[in-house]
C-alpha cells in the first residue's frame, strides 16, 4: 500500500503540567495508508458506500525516564471520520507492537468511554479535547467526528526502549456519497492530553478520500465551493439555508459576483412527477443576507415548498439554483464553480443542484 511519510521534530518546550519525575515518552506518527485496492489490484482513494475499508498508521515511541520502573500506560489512538460512517459501532481496531512477545500478533483496542477522562483534559472527554483542539482539521464541513480508542492491555515501557507500532482500522463506509480528509491522533493515558506535542501527535491525510455509489449528491468536505447548504441532507418540510461564499475567488474575471453588494437566490424546484416551479423574481423575497462575521457570506433560509410554491400533495425531487446580481446579468452557478475548482466546465449554464431525501 502506498504510504505518506512525515518527519517530526521533538518539541523543545517542557510539558505544561507538574510531574514528579522527568519522563519523556515521546510518540511519533511515521506514516499512514488510506489507499484501497480495487478489483484490478490498483491503489485508489475511494470506496463504495456501505463497503468494508481498511486504513493503517505506523509510528514509534521513544521512552526517556529517570524512573527505574519505566512508564506504565495504555496507548491512545483516534481517527477523524464522517459521522455517517458510525465508526464507533462498526470498526474493529487492532495494533501490532514490538513490546509484544509475538510482534506479528494483532491485539485489540476499544472505544474509550466518556466516563474515562484524560488526565489533563480539564474535565472534558477525549472527544471534546480533540474537537476543541483540532476541530475537523482541513475539512470545510463539520459533520465529522473523532472516535477514540485505547489498548486493552496496559504496557510498561522501560527507559531507552523505542518500540514501533502499527494500528489497523477495519470499518465500513456510510450510506452517503462524500469526499473528506481523514485524521489520525496518538497519545497515551499516562499523559492524558497534556500541553506540548511530545506525548501526542496529529496528522491529516493530504489525499481526499471519497465514498461513491451511495445515497444523495456528493458532499464535499475537502474543498470550499461558492455554494453551501445546511443541513447537508434535506427533506421536503425542512428549512434549509443556502449560502453564497464570494471569497472562494475574489477575482471578478472568475467570479462575476465577487464585488456584488446585493446577491439573490434564483432557480426552480422539480417534483418527482416532473413539474417545475420557479423561484420568486429578483426582489425582497429572494435577496440573500450578508453575513460579514462569517467571512462575507450571503445566506438565505427558505422553506423550499413555500419558497417555490410547490403544492403540499407534491414531492420535490431536486432544486436547481444559482446566485444573481440585482439585474440578473451576473450569475454564479455550477459552471462558474467548476471553472474555479477544476479549471474547466462542460457548459456555461449548469446550475447548482440540491437533491431531496425521501421520508
Amino acid at each position: 500500500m502506498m504510504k505518506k511519510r512525515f518527519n517530526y521534530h521533538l518539541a523543545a518546550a517542557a510539558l505544561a503540567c507538574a510531574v514528579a519525575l522527568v519522563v519523556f515518552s515521546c510518540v511519533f506518527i511515521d506514516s499512514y495508508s488510506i489507499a484501497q485496492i480495487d478489483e484490478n489490484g490498483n491503489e485508489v482513494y475511494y470506496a463504495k458506500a456501505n463497503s468494508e475499508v481498511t486504513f493503517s498508521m505506523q509510528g514509534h515511541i521513544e521512552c526517556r525516564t529517570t524512573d527505574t520502573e519505566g512508564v506504565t500506560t495504555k496507548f491512545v489512538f483516534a481517527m477523524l471520520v464522517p459521522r455517517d460512517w458510525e465508526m464507533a459501532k462498526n470498526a474493529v481496531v487492532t495494533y501490532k507492537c514490538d513490546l509484544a512477545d509475538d510482534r506479528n500478533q494483532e491485539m485489540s483496542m476499544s472505544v474509550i468511554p466518556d466516563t474515562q477522562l484524560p488526565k489533563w483534559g480539564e474535565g472534558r472527554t477525549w472527544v471534546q479535547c480533540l474537537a476543541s483542539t483540532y476541530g475537523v482539521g482541513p475539512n470545510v464541513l463539520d459533520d465529522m467526528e473523532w472516535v477514540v480508542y485505547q489498548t486493552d492491555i496496559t504496557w510498561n515501557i522501560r527507559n531507552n526502549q523505542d518500540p514501533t507500532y502499527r494500528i489497523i482500522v477495519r470499518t465500513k463506509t456510510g450510506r452517503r456519497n462524500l469526499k473528506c480528509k481523514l485524521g489520525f491522533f496518538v497519545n497515551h493515558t499516562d499523559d492524558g492530553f497534556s500541553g506540548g506535542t511530545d506525548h501526542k501527535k496529529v496528522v491529516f491525510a493530504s489525499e481526499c478520500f471519497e465514498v461513491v455509489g451511495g445515497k444523495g449528491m456528493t458532499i464535499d468536505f475537502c474543498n470550499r465551493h461558492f455554494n453551501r447548504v445546511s443541513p447537508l441532507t434535506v427533506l421536503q418540510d425542512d428549512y434549509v439555508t443556502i449560502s453564497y461564499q464570494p471569497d472562494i475567488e475574489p477575482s471578478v474575471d472568475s467570479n462575476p459576483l465577487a464585488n456584488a453588494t446585493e446577491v439573490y437566490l434564483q432557480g426552480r424546484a422539480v417534483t418527482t412527477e416532473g413539474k417545475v416551479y420557479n423561484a420568486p423574481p429578483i426582489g425582497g423575497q429572494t435577496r440573500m443576507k450578508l453575513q460579514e462575521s462569517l467571512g462575507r457570506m450571503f445566506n438565505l433560509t427558505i422553506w423550499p415548498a413555500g419558497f417555490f410554491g410547490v403544492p403540499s400533495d407534491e414531492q420535490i425531487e431536486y432544486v436547481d439554483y444559482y446566485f444573481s446580481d440585482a439585474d440578473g446579468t451576473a450569475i454564479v452557478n455550477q459552471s462558474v464553480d467548476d471553472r474555479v475548482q477544476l479549471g474547466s466546465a462542460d457548459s456555461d449554464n449548469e446550475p447548482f443542484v440540491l437533491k431531496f431525501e425521501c421520508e
Side-chain angles (χ1 to χ4, degrees), residues 32-324:
Y32 68 81
S33 176
I34 64 170
Q36 307 299 302
I37 304 299
D38 68 8
E39 58 273 15
N40 298 315
N42 299 317
E43 291 184 333
V44 295
Y45 293 99
Y46 64 83
K48 293 181 179 179
N50 283 315
S51 68
E52 302 288 339
V53 288
T54 300
F55 307 112
S56 64
M57 187 189 71
Q58 297 186 93
H60 69 282
I61 301 168
E62 296 179 359
C63 183
R64 305 293 182 264
T65 176
T66 59
D67 187 350
T68 57
E69 298 300 316
V71 177
T72 301
T73 191
K74 289 187 174 184
F75 198 64
V76 173
F77 163 75
M79 191 167 174
L80 179 69
V81 297
R83 293 184 189 277
D84 181 55
W85 291 12
E86 298 183 321
M87 179 174 165
K89 183 174 71 175
N90 292 320
V92 174
V93 179
T94 61
Y95 68 103
K96 298 179 181 180
C97 179
D98 287 348
L99 297 174
D101 293 335
D102 181 357
R103 295 182 179 183
N104 292 316
Q105 179 186 0
E106 286 193 30
M107 294 166 285
S108 60
M109 302 186 81
S110 300
V111 174
I112 297 181
D114 285 344
T115 54
Q116 182 183 325
L117 304 179
K119 186 187 301 185
W120 299 101
E122 300 178 340
R124 298 172 297 172
T125 66
W126 282 93
V127 170
Q128 289 169 338
C129 287
L130 285 159
S132 62
T133 304
Y134 305 117
V136 293
N139 295 282
V140 301
L141 301 173
D142 60 7
D143 199 24
M144 300 189 72
E145 63 179 349
W146 289 98
V147 186
V148 194
Y149 296 82
Q150 65 182 354
T151 58
D152 292 333
I153 297 174
T154 300
W155 292 98
N156 179 256
I157 310 177
R158 298 287 184 172
N159 187 37
N160 291 321
Q161 278 189 312
D162 296 340
T164 64
Y165 65 86
R166 181 171 186 257
I167 296 174
I168 305 101
V169 178
R170 298 177 178 91
T171 190
K172 287 182 64 176
T173 58
R175 300 175 305 151
R176 303 195 177 280
N177 296 317
L178 56 82
K179 296 188 289 186
C180 69
K181 292 192 175 181
L182 303 170
F184 302 90
F185 168 85
V186 290
N187 193 209
H188 58 91
T189 55
D190 185 63
D191 175 70
F193 220 94
S194 70
T197 58
D198 279 342
H199 296 254
K200 62 181 186 291
K201 294 292 190 295
V202 66
V203 67
F204 298 97
S206 59
E207 307 91 348
C208 195
F209 190 84
E210 185 169 7
V211 177
V212 299
K215 188 175 182 180
M217 60 185 180
T218 299
I219 301 171
D220 189 353
F221 292 76
C222 299
N223 303 292
R224 294 182 70 212
H225 296 268
F226 285 124
N227 64 317
R228 181 173 179 175
V229 174
S230 180
L232 298 179
T233 58
V234 182
L235 298 173
Q236 172 94 1
D237 293 325
D238 287 342
Y239 281 89
V240 56
T241 298
I242 297 177
S243 303
Y244 163 60
Q245 304 179 108
D247 60 349
I248 299 300
E249 174 52 66
S251 168
V252 177
D253 290 338
S254 301
N255 175 9
L257 298 177
N259 297 330
T261 57
E262 294 182 8
V263 176
Y264 298 84
L265 178 66
Q266 291 289 282
R268 61 178 190 162
V270 180
T271 70
T272 54
E273 295 182 351
K275 294 182 180 180
V276 176
Y277 296 89
N278 292 318
I282 292 173
Q285 193 175 351
T286 57
R287 183 174 177 177
M288 306 181 75
K289 185 177 181 180
L290 175 61
Q291 303 285 331
E292 292 282 5
S293 62
L294 299 176
R296 197 168 177 267
M297 179 187 292
F298 292 84
N299 291 334
L300 185 63
T301 299
I302 64 172
W303 176 47
F307 183 78
F308 291 99
V310 179
S312 59
D313 61 348
E314 296 187 38
Q315 175 68 42
I316 300 174
E317 182 175 0
Y318 64 90
V319 165
D320 286 344
Y321 66 96
Y322 61 93
F323 308 114
S324 167

Side-chain angles (χ1 to χ4, degrees), residues 333-340 344-351:
N333 57 16
Q334 185 65 62
S335 298
V336 175
D337 193 77
D338 285 347
R339 280 193 287 270
V340 170
S344 63
D346 293 334
S347 71
D348 292 331
N349 302 313
E350 196 70 27

